[in-house]
Amino acid sequence: MERVRARATPNFSGMTKKDLVAEAVQFYLDARREEMHQLDGTRAARVALLAGLTREQLDAVGGVDEKD
């Protein structure tokens, strides 16, 4: 049985795998851009984003200690 290797030739959509991945990454980043702008480098911002809360909601339930 002959092994089938991935090729860099266009697939059914006319895109190479590399182009398809690049397009998918760009789509994901564009869709999440607003969420990423909310990140200000603080632990509270990361926890709020992951929990699906606003910073105000997070603070209302006790907030997050920024110290390790």
Side-chain angles (χ1 to χ4, degrees):
M1 189 176 237
E2 184 179 330
R3 292 176 103 183
V4 177
R5 279 196 266 169
R7 296 177 288 168
T9 57
N11 61 17
F12 68 93
S13 66
M15 300 174 74
T16 64
K17 288 181 182 181
K18 180 180 176 182
D19 292 340
L20 180 63
V21 169
E23 186 74 22
V25 167
Q26 189 60 51
F27 178 82
Y28 178 83
L29 292 175
D30 289 344
R32 301 289 185 232
R33 191 168 312 282
E34 182 62 35
E35 292 173 356
M36 289 186 285
H37 285 306
Q38 295 173 7
L39 295 176
D40 60 8
T42 62
R43 181 177 292 169
R46 293 190 303 270
V47 170
L49 179 61
L50 291 172
L53 301 172
T54 65
R55 289 289 296 270
E56 293 78 20
Q57 291 170 322
L58 182 62
D59 290 340
V61 294
V64 173
D65 186 10
E66 292 294 330
K67 298 176 185 175
D68 284 332

